[in-house]
Amino acid sequence: MAMGYRVVVVGATGNVGHEMLNILAERQFPIDEITALASRKSMGTEVSFGDKTLKTKDLDTFDFTGWDIALFAVGSDATKKYAPIAAKAGCYVIDNSSLYRYDHDIPLIVPEVNPDAIELAVKRKIIANPNCSTAQMVVALKPLHDRARIKRVVVSTYQSVSGAGKEGIDELWDQTKSIYNPTDDKPARKFTKQIAFNVIPHIDVFMDSGETKEEWKMVAETKKIIDPSIKVTATCVRVPVFVGHSEAINIEFEEFLDEDEARDILREAPGVMVIDKREDGGYVTPVECVGDFATFISRIRQDSTIDNGLNLWCVSDNLRKGAALNAVQIAEVLGQRILKKG
C-alpha cells in the first residue's frame, strides 16, 4: 500500500507553480510520485523539486487517472477546461484561480480559518484557493472574530507586482531601470499606468458599482470563509514592491476588545507572527516577509473614533500564503481528513 500521494502541479513553470514545488519539498509533503505539467509550448522545461529536477509534461494530453491531488496554478480559462477532467478521473483539484471561489458547492478554504469546509470537497473533488489579499487578512481576522464578533472591516491593500505574475515583475524592473536611462523608455503594458515610483489604485477590472473586481473578491471571499454577516469595504492598490502584500485593516467589533488582549490572541493564532513594538523598526514590511510562511501582524492599536475598534497592519508573502503555501496546506488537510494515505 502506498504511504504517500501521487501529486500533479499544473502550471509548474509560473511563479506560483515554482513556489508550490518548493513548498511541497520544504514541508516534506508525503509524495510517492510527482509530475509537473505546463502548456505545450513549455513542455520539457526543467523545474526544481527539492534536490530533483523535473521535466514538464504536456497538460493537454495528460491522463489524471490514478493521481491523488492536482495543484492548479493556471488561469481561469485553462482551469475551466482541465479541472473537471482531473476531477472526473478521481483526482482532487486545488485551484488557485478565481473560477470556483464563489461556487456554492465548492469549498473556499484557508486551513487556519475553516478547515472543516474540506468535507464539501467530496462532492465535486474541487477545492478553491482564495485571492492572495483575502487569504492573509482572514488569518488575522478569524481569531479576533471568535472572541468579539466582527461587524465591519475597512481594508486598504498595498499589493506587490508579483500578484500580476512574471509580466508584472518584469515591468517594474524594466521601468525602474529606464527612469535612470531616459533614452530607454518603458511605457506601461501590464499595468494601466507607470508602476515604478508610483502607486495605482486599480487591480483587476472595474465593476458597475465603482469597485474593482479585486475589491469585490475580498468582500465576497471574507463572507464565504468566515461569516456572511461581516461587512467589508476594500480599496486595493498596486505598489512598486516585487513580492509581499501589505494591508492596513480597521476592524469594528460587536463588543469591546482591548488592544493588549487582541495582541495576545493573535500571538497564539495559527499561521500568525506578531511583531509589534512601538519603536523605530518595530513592525514588519514586505521585504522582510519574503520566503516566510507566516502572516505578520504589527501596529495593533485601539481606534478611538468608534466604540469597539482596532487598527492593525498585516503583511505576507503573496506567492506563499496568498497562493502556493495555502494550496499545499489545503492538500495537507485533504490528506489528513479525506484521503488518509500519508
Side-chain angles (χ1 to χ4, degrees):
M1 179 180 172
M3 293 304 293
Y5 298 97
R6 300 183 75 213
V7 177
V8 180
V9 175
V10 181
T13 58
N15 290 335
V16 174
H18 273 298
E19 282 298 304
M20 285 175 170
L21 289 165
N22 289 339
I23 293 167
L24 285 165
E26 286 173 25
R27 292 175 73 90
Q28 298 182 327
F29 188 81
I31 288 175
D32 271 358
E33 186 178 355
I34 188 165
T35 195
L37 303 183
S39 63
R40 186 160 294 172
K41 67 179 181 180
S42 299
M43 190 171 66
T45 302
E46 293 187 344
V47 293
S48 296
F49 172 65
D51 57 3
K52 298 178 183 177
T53 299
L54 308 175
K55 282 193 174 182
T56 58
K57 297 178 181 178
D58 181 13
L59 169 60
D60 198 44
T61 58
F62 186 76
D63 183 2
F64 288 91
T65 305
W67 293 84
D68 297 302
I69 302 170
L71 302 176
F72 270 62
V74 291
S76 293
D77 289 343
T79 299
K80 187 174 184 178
K81 179 178 180 180
Y82 296 105
I85 293 171
K88 188 176 180 180
C91 179
Y92 278 87
V93 171
I94 300 171
D95 173 33
N96 197 61
S97 81
S98 62
L99 182 64
Y100 293 109
R101 290 177 189 159
Y102 317 106
D103 190 314
H104 180 72
D105 291 334
I106 290 177
L108 178 66
I109 295 178
V110 176
E112 297 94 336
V113 177
N114 63 334
D116 293 346
I118 199 77
E119 302 299 333
L120 183 60
V122 175
K123 185 175 183 180
R124 288 175 61 183
K125 290 188 164 53
I126 297 174
I127 305 155
N129 208 20
N131 188 39
C132 49
S133 50
T134 305
Q136 68 187 70
M137 183 172 75
V138 296
V139 167
L141 294 182
K142 180 59 163 59
L144 301 177
H145 181 64
D146 288 345
R147 161 62 182 82
R149 293 199 65 80
I150 294 170
K151 287 174 62 178
R152 182 171 184 256
V153 175
V154 181
V155 57
S156 297
T157 71
Y158 307 75
Q159 295 179 226
S160 65
V161 294
S162 57
K166 184 179 182 297
E167 291 175 327
I169 293 173
D170 290 345
E171 187 155 313
L172 174 57
W173 176 250
D174 291 341
Q175 277 185 2
T176 301
K177 290 188 295 182
S178 75
I179 285 170
Y180 291 100
N181 180 11
T183 62
D184 182 26
D185 183 45
K186 297 290 183 184
R189 295 183 187 278
K190 180 64 178 178
F191 302 112
T192 54
K193 296 200 176 191
Q194 175 186 310
I195 185 60
F197 303 97
N198 197 17
V199 298
I200 305 171
H202 176 192
I203 301 176
D204 212 324
V205 297
F206 276 98
M207 304 177 72
D208 291 342
S209 62
E211 64 189 340
T212 64
K213 188 75 177 288
E214 185 82 358
E215 292 156 355
W216 177 87
K217 288 174 189 174
M218 293 193 74
V219 176
E221 292 174 20
T222 301
K223 288 175 175 288
K224 184 173 179 178
I225 294 167
I226 300 182
D227 188 334
S229 69
I230 296 175
K231 295 178 180 178
V232 182
T233 183
T235 301
C236 294
V237 182
R238 191 72 73 189
V239 297
V241 170
F242 285 110
V243 178
H245 287 358
S246 305
E247 297 172 350
I249 307 173
N250 175 266
I251 312 165
E252 182 181 359
F253 297 92
E254 289 186 1
E255 57 185 272
F256 181 76
L257 178 60
D258 178 75
E259 63 187 39
D260 292 326
E261 184 182 355
R263 199 173 287 110
D264 290 341
I265 289 169
L266 289 168
R267 282 200 177 105
E268 298 299 318
V272 173
M273 181 72 70
V274 175
I275 307 291
D276 189 18
K277 298 179 181 178
R278 292 175 178 179
E279 60 187 44
D280 292 354
Y283 42 81
V284 173
T285 61
V287 168
E288 297 152 287
C289 80
V290 175
D292 206 296
F293 289 145
T295 294
F296 292 90
I297 306 296
S298 308
R299 303 292 319 281
I300 303 166
R301 62 204 187 278
Q302 229 76 49
D303 175 4
S304 62
T305 68
I306 52 177
D307 289 337
N308 303 318
L310 283 177
N311 289 300
L312 56 84
W313 175 250
C314 176
V315 177
S316 190
D317 182 331
N318 57 293
L319 297 179
R320 292 205 151 209
K321 186 55 195 170
L325 170 62
N326 201 72
V328 173
Q329 288 176 306
I330 292 172
E332 291 169 348
V333 175
L334 180 67
Q336 292 158 8
R337 300 200 180 195
I338 294 177
L339 297 176
K340 299 179 180 177
K341 262 192 189 178

